[in-house]
């Protein structure tokens, strides 16, 4: 069973690879040369978690003078695998990064993508975020109990808006179904390529419930336009007035992590430049402030340690998707 932190970022650990890189630059007396430009791909539509991560990186990198000019591009579709295919073709480009994460691991499997993250250069895991379940403010559903009762009585009558098929949102809904006795393959899940589209469907009362990272719905919850009825953290989060799934009798917790990768074919100097640039970002005051502001956990893990984590989680995600019927 995928419960109680089966997919959860490990505690923040300093990357041996990144530390070695930084040390080599310092020892050489050049510390680290500021990058003139950096392109960050968000492989999703504007308004979602990957887009938000890319733009937060852009803000911090430029404000802290780590990179002079940072451009963010959006390439939506198929859980990020369209962007991944494009990105993996830019071999040897040392001034590019792509935002990735748990969602993409699932999408690669469910979309039978011919390109995988093994065809990129792992740089660093950056953040972790819990998932929140919301309903429109005008919904008759007031609590998780109400939603579960409706879901059990007629599973197809409950439409769930979330990110791409096989991603974190879909996994969470499948796990909830499994826990409450609903066949996961019968879930009425509506996949959107960006958080903005899912939000629009919720605000228009076109769907029953929505699932996404807390940061994507926090503003609308605070404004009273959406009602947060459950969060996927193991315990209540400080400052967040939303009960956990576990409190509501659904024994599931899940965290979504996000990371950045580089194109394949980089030489050692290019890889080191990106490692030290992202390390400077992760340790900057602006980035730490953005983490706090957006309720993102600092789950920084870089270089070879991140590469090992990526392979471990790929195998874990495949097992989960098979257990809930999304992958054969």
């Amino acid at each position: 069973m995928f419960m109680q932190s089966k997919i959860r970022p490990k505690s923040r650990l300093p990357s041996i690879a990144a530390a070695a890189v930084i040390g080599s630059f310092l020892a050489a007396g050049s510390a680290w040369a500021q990058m003139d430009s950096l392109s960050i791909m968000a492989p999703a539509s504007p308004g979602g978690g990957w887009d938000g991560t890319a733009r937060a990186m852009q803000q911090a990198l430029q404000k802290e003078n780590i990179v002079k000019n940072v451009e963010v591009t959006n390439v939506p579709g198929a859980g990020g695998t369209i962007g991944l295919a494009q990105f993996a073709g830019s071999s040897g480009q040392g001034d590019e990064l792509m935002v990735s994460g748990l969602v993409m691991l699932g999408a690669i499997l469910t979309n039978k993508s011919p390109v995988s993250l093994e065809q990129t250069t792992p740089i660093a895991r950056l953040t972790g975020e819990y998932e929140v379940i919301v309903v429109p403010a005008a919904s008759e559903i007031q609590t998780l109990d109400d939603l579960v009762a409706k879901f059990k009585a007629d599973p197809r009558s409950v439409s769930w808006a979330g990110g791409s098929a096989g991603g974190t949102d879909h996994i969470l809904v499948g796990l909830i179904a499994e826990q409450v006795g609903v066949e996961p393959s019968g879930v009425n899940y509506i996949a959107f390529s960006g958080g903005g589209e899912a939000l629009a469907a919720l605000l228009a009362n076109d769907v029953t419930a929505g699932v996404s990272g807390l940061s994507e719905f926090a503003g609308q919850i605070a404004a009273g336009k959406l009602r947060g009825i459950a969060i996927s953290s193991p315990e209540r989060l400080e400052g967040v007035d939303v009960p956990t799934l576990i409190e509501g009798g659904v024994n599931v917790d899940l965290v979504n992590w996000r990371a950045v990768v580089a194109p394949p074919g980089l030489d050692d100097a290019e890889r080191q430049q990106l490692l030290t640039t992202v390390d400077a970002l992760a340790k900057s005051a602006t980035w730490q402030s953005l983490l706090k502001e957006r309720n993102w956990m600092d789950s920084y893990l870089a270089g070879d340690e991140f590469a090992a984590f990526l392979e471990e989680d790929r195998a874990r995600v495949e097992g989960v998707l098979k257990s809930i019927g999304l992958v054969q």
Side-chain angles (χ1 to χ4, degrees):
M1 298 290 287
F2 171 55
M3 305 296 164
Q4 308 298 331
S5 72
K6 287 288 187 179
I7 297 182
R8 179 185 299 173
K10 299 173 183 176
S11 59
R12 177 174 173 172
L13 296 171
S15 167
I16 295 171
V21 167
I22 295 166
S24 67
F25 273 92
L26 290 172
S30 57
W32 151 74
Q34 181 191 41
M35 295 184 72
D36 288 328
S37 63
L38 179 66
S39 174
I40 304 175
M41 178 195 288
S45 299
W50 286 342
D51 179 68
T53 301
R55 295 185 190 280
M57 290 178 66
Q58 178 187 45
Q59 179 181 339
L61 286 166
Q62 292 185 158
K63 184 174 180 180
E64 297 280 350
N65 294 314
I66 298 169
V67 181
K68 292 179 183 177
N69 297 296
V70 181
E71 177 187 15
V72 173
T73 59
N74 294 88
V75 182
T81 57
I82 291 176
L84 172 62
Q86 177 179 314
F87 187 77
S90 57
S91 179
Q93 298 296 312
D95 60 353
E96 295 182 1
L97 290 171
M98 181 185 73
V99 181
S100 182
L102 176 59
V103 171
M104 188 173 285
L105 291 182
I108 288 167
L109 294 166
T110 56
N111 287 288
K112 298 185 169 93
S113 172
V115 180
S116 73
L117 284 171
E118 293 174 353
Q119 291 160 265
T120 67
T121 303
I123 297 299
R125 186 185 67 193
L126 293 172
T127 68
E129 184 177 22
Y130 291 113
E131 299 271 291
V132 66
I133 298 171
V134 300
V135 294
S139 173
E140 62 183 12
I141 294 171
Q142 298 291 315
T143 65
L144 179 62
D145 282 345
D146 294 340
L147 180 62
V148 168
K150 183 177 177 67
F151 189 36
K152 291 171 71 174
D154 184 1
R156 298 298 297 176
S157 72
V158 176
S159 52
W160 302 79
S164 54
T168 314
D169 305 338
H170 200 171
I171 288 173
L172 182 61
V173 176
L175 291 170
I176 292 170
E178 189 177 64
Q179 273 287 294
V180 302
V182 172
E183 175 56 47
S185 61
V187 168
N188 182 12
Y189 183 83
I190 303 172
F192 292 89
S193 62
E197 295 174 10
L199 177 59
L202 279 161
L203 295 178
N205 292 300
D206 290 336
V207 292
T208 310
V211 184
S212 192
L214 175 60
S215 64
E216 292 183 45
F217 288 150
Q220 299 298 331
I221 293 172
K225 295 182 178 181
L226 295 176
R227 181 181 305 115
I229 60 171
I231 195 164
S232 68
S233 55
E235 299 175 348
R236 284 216 186 195
L237 300 183
E238 184 178 351
V240 179
D241 188 22
V242 178
T244 68
L245 284 163
I246 294 170
E247 282 181 70
V250 180
N251 193 31
V252 174
D253 71 83
L254 176 69
V255 69
N256 183 22
W257 55 266
R258 298 187 182 111
V260 286
V261 297
L266 301 187
D267 61 33
D268 288 345
E270 289 171 327
R271 177 175 177 270
Q272 288 176 350
Q273 177 72 81
L274 288 172
L275 280 168
T276 50
T277 295
V278 172
D279 189 76
L281 163 77
K283 294 174 180 175
S284 70
T286 300
W287 179 252
Q288 290 298 318
S289 176
L290 286 168
L291 293 178
K292 192 172 189 179
E293 175 186 313
R294 301 183 183 208
N295 289 306
W296 290 345
M297 293 182 294
D298 184 351
S299 59
Y300 180 57
L301 191 70
D304 292 342
E305 289 182 340
F306 170 55
F309 165 82
L310 193 59
E311 177 56 29
E312 176 186 314
D313 233 32
R314 186 207 62 76
R316 196 175 289 164
V317 167
E318 183 174 7
V320 172
L321 292 178
K322 285 180 177 178
S323 75
I324 60 177
L326 294 178
V327 171
Q328 297 301 315

